[in-house]
Amino acid sequence: MKILDRYIIKTFFGPFLFIFSVLFFIFIVNIIWIQMSQFMGKGLSVFEIIKLLFYMGVSVVSMVLPLTILLASIMAFGDLGERYELAAMKAAGISLTRVMLPLFILNIILSVVLFFFQNNITPDFQRKAKNMLYNVAATKPALNFTPGQFIHQIPTYAVKFDEISGENGSFLKGIYIHKSANIFENQQAIVAKNGQFAPPEDKNFLKLKLYDGYIYEDDFRNKEFRERLKQPNQSVKFDTLVLHFDISELIDKALRKEQITDDYRFKSYAELNESIVEKRKENTEVMKGLSSSLVSNANGYIYSIENTPKSTSKAEQQYKLDTIKKQKKLDALLMAYNKVETQINDLEIKKGEIEGVVKQHNKMIMHQQRILSYSFTCIIFFLIGASLGSIIRKGGMGVPVVVSVVIFIIFHTMNLTVENIAWKGQMNPYLAAWLPNMILFPFSIWLTVKALTDSQLFDIEKYKVLLKPILSKFQKKKEHARYQ
């Protein structure tokens, strides 16, 4: 490697490492905001939260790396141009192609690394994140006790604590528990001065010890209204009371939400190929079932033509609608209307099922193709960044950041747009995954050609000259022009 190549790579790697760290941090903060509700009220330690965020944050590398390459390329070549180092290299007979060559090779290597990273590492980390969320849901149900507020997360109970203290929030003061019941059941309320959470013998139960309190209960069950009026209020004072709240329903709900399935995001490119082939066979069977169901519902029932004896007599008209009596005519029309309504509703249901099948299939294909397409995005972004940097000739965090953000927003918007269209089945998923690259690649080639030919693409004076005939028509004539 020549001294010049080492110098160019060094100029690129300084901004690259800094920008990658900053962007990775920004994307992680975004994940924190989105996933905050899953962490709250589950008693996770700082280490567990950091570990979970790291597992989930690995998936953002596929978006961070292309943007980092784009911004670092603009900054590196902008710095070289601003310090007139590019001009010195060209004066020494070194072409821009030769200057870009070491970084182009480096970015090809980064693209290959990104492919293997997405193919082999990201699926494993996403699986670990999903497993961790599953374990959190199983061992730490979402009970978020806020002092001074009633919570209704425990089935059939409303609970309020005035104060919550202790390392794990296990010590309580000012406890009020109300059992939610209808007017035909016993009404019960429990008030206690102090209490604490205790380790339960069964994870499906929440164990609570109460001290120095009262149980208020009205015995209303199976009694008429008059008897209830005569029923006195009952109160029982206790020194210690142990309650077990059944939270199995809450845990089951969390487990169903976080249940680990055969997620396509856990698979490599080759494994997704096999899954797509299997999915297509399953979808074919599903579509056959839906079509036969629709035909069956439309006809009411299906006759077997092979088993039905052929009739030699001509078909005769059974009834004329105008000759039927008014009530029977209305009944016939109502039956026809109900059948049409049933068919319309059935079509809507089947349409939703078909859309779900198409969406899942297209999601799988787009995820597979993006493992490869994002690697090509890195090369395209390098060509755009290097060309823009050599044309603009501005380094630092000013113009390069603005230009990079605009280009990335355009790319990301195209990605989201084609993704939504493909999910609806209105675009081929293979085309949707590659379309942003197909649009930006010609643009990157055009910019590269402009940079190699020293085009004054961003020269403001050049555009002023072109627009001068048009702008002159809107300019006010100078005062002395009339005397000339």
Side-chain angles (χ1 to χ4, degrees):
M1 184 181 292
K2 295 184 178 180
I3 297 175
L4 180 62
D5 296 335
R6 289 200 297 268
Y7 177 72
I8 294 172
I9 292 173
K10 182 181 177 182
T11 305
F12 173 80
F13 254 111
F16 177 86
L17 296 176
F18 172 73
I19 294 166
F20 185 86
S21 304
V22 172
L23 291 178
F24 189 79
F25 175 76
I26 292 173
F27 276 79
I28 288 292
V29 170
N30 182 53
I31 290 176
I32 293 174
W33 280 111
I34 295 174
Q35 305 292 338
M36 185 64 72
S37 60
Q38 298 191 41
F39 305 146
M40 296 299 293
K42 295 191 176 182
L44 293 176
S45 65
V46 176
F47 175 74
E48 288 175 321
I49 293 176
I50 293 174
K51 185 178 178 181
L52 182 56
L53 286 174
F54 177 72
Y55 287 159
M56 300 173 73
V58 168
S59 60
V60 306
V61 173
S62 60
M63 294 299 293
V64 171
L65 187 60
L67 180 57
T68 303
I69 290 173
L70 174 64
L71 184 52
S73 301
I74 296 179
M75 290 180 65
F77 281 85
D79 285 337
L80 292 174
E82 191 174 19
R83 297 194 297 261
Y84 297 101
E85 292 175 339
L86 276 179
M89 293 177 192
K90 291 177 182 178
I94 303 173
S95 64
L96 182 61
T97 307
R98 178 63 184 83
V99 176
M100 293 173 62
L101 183 61
L103 291 183
F104 184 74
I105 295 173
L106 176 63
N107 279 280
I108 290 177
I109 296 172
L110 289 175
S111 302
V112 174
V113 170
L114 179 62
F115 171 77
F116 284 106
F117 186 87
Q118 290 189 95
N119 191 59
N120 301 321
I121 298 176
T122 302
D124 186 50
F125 275 82
Q126 288 191 338
R127 186 183 293 108
K128 288 180 179 179
K130 199 71 176 178
N131 274 280
M132 190 171 178
L133 286 172
Y134 178 88
N135 294 331
V136 168
T139 58
K140 300 175 181 178
L143 291 171
N144 186 16
F145 295 107
T146 304
Q149 295 182 11
F150 278 98
I151 71 153
H152 302 273
Q153 291 171 293
I154 300 175
T156 70
Y157 284 95
V159 182
K160 180 174 77 72
F161 306 126
D162 290 339
E163 294 182 21
I164 301 176
S165 59
E167 184 178 353
N168 297 318
S170 57
F171 296 101
L172 314 167
K173 287 185 179 180
I175 302 158
Y176 181 83
I177 300 172
H178 175 70
K179 184 177 181 181
S180 303
N182 58 45
I183 58 174
F184 302 104
E185 295 179 343
N186 293 342
Q187 309 294 311
Q188 186 184 77
I190 302 173
V191 179
K193 291 184 178 180
N194 302 296
Q196 69 177 67
F197 289 111
E201 290 77 13
D202 188 343
K203 70 175 183 180
N204 291 318
F205 290 88
L206 183 67
K207 188 175 181 181
L208 180 60
K209 290 184 178 180
L210 304 179
Y211 307 103
D212 192 9
Y214 290 87
I215 301 175
Y216 300 96
E217 185 169 1
D218 295 328
D219 189 8
F220 284 167
R221 183 180 295 176
N222 299 327
K223 292 184 179 180
E224 296 180 357
F225 179 73
R226 292 182 179 179
E227 294 185 25
R228 294 181 186 181
L229 295 177
K230 301 176 184 178
Q231 177 66 31
N233 295 330
Q234 300 179 18
S235 63
V236 178
K237 189 179 186 306
F238 61 84
D239 294 326
T240 303
L241 177 67
V242 179
L243 294 176
H244 291 84
F245 298 100
D246 187 358
I247 57 173
S248 57
E249 180 182 342
L250 191 65
I251 294 176
D252 289 341
K253 183 179 179 181
L255 291 179
R256 285 195 300 270
K257 183 179 178 182
E258 305 294 349
Q259 188 173 10
I260 297 177
T261 58
D262 188 16
D263 200 318
Y264 62 88
R265 290 169 294 184
F266 301 165
K267 298 180 180 179
S268 64
Y269 190 93
E271 292 171 341
L272 282 168
N273 263 336
E274 299 175 1
S275 298
I276 290 170
V277 172
E278 294 176 1
K279 194 70 177 176
R280 282 174 181 164
K281 293 179 181 178
E282 293 177 7
N283 292 346
T284 302
E285 296 299 322
V286 170
M287 293 300 179
K288 287 181 180 178
L290 291 175
S291 61
S292 62
S293 175
L294 287 172
V295 172
S296 177
N297 291 338
N299 296 332
Y301 52 85
I302 298 176
Y303 288 103
S304 176
I305 298 176
E306 293 80 2
N307 299 328
T308 304
K310 294 183 180 180
S311 175
T312 56
S313 61
K314 295 182 179 179
E316 296 180 359
Q317 185 175 358
Q318 299 295 321
Y319 301 101
K320 290 184 178 180
L321 192 61
D322 295 336
T323 61
I324 303 175
K325 292 181 179 180
K326 184 177 181 180
Q327 186 59 44
K328 290 185 177 180
K329 182 178 180 180
L330 292 174
D331 291 341
L333 290 173
L334 180 61
M335 289 177 63
Y337 175 80
N338 289 336
K339 188 170 184 178
V340 171
E341 282 292 312
T342 302
Q343 187 68 10
I344 291 173
N345 294 333
D346 190 50
L347 285 172
E348 288 296 324
I349 294 172
K350 295 296 186 292
K351 180 183 177 183
E353 293 178 9
I354 292 171
E355 288 176 351
V357 170
V358 171
K359 183 176 181 179
Q360 186 66 19
H361 177 259
N362 291 353
K363 270 186 174 183
M364 189 181 297
I365 292 176
M366 290 192 67
H367 180 77
Q368 181 208 34
Q369 292 303 307
R370 280 179 174 171
I371 294 176
L372 191 58
S373 67
Y374 280 156
S375 297
F376 281 93
T377 303
C378 294
I379 299 173
I380 293 172
F381 275 9
F382 167 73
L383 293 175
I384 294 174
S387 303
L388 283 175
S390 61
I391 294 173
I392 297 173
R393 298 174 185 174
K394 290 288 184 182
M397 298 295 291
V399 177
V401 172
V402 176
V403 174
S404 300
V405 169
V406 170
I407 294 174
F408 183 76
I409 288 175
I410 294 172
F411 172 76
H412 193 56
T413 303
M414 287 192 295
N415 251 339
L416 293 178
T417 303
V418 297
E419 182 179 85
N420 290 328
I421 295 173
W423 287 1
K424 294 177 182 178
Q426 299 173 357
M427 181 183 288
N428 186 293
Y430 291 97
L431 175 62
W434 286 93
L435 188 60
N437 283 350
M438 293 168 65
I439 294 173
L440 288 179
F441 182 67
F443 177 67
S444 68
I445 297 298
W446 177 75
L447 274 180
T448 304
V449 172
K450 290 293 181 182
L452 293 175
T453 55
D454 291 327
S455 173
Q456 302 299 316
L457 191 61
F458 294 97
D459 188 356
I460 299 176
E461 296 300 325
K462 177 183 176 182
Y463 294 106
K464 283 183 178 180
V465 172
L466 293 174
L467 297 175
K468 188 175 180 179
I470 300 173
L471 295 175
S472 62
K473 295 181 181 181
F474 299 96
Q475 290 177 349
K476 186 178 179 180
K477 291 184 178 180
K478 294 182 180 180
E479 193 66 27
H480 64 276
R482 69 183 69 175
Y483 303 111
Q484 293 179 355

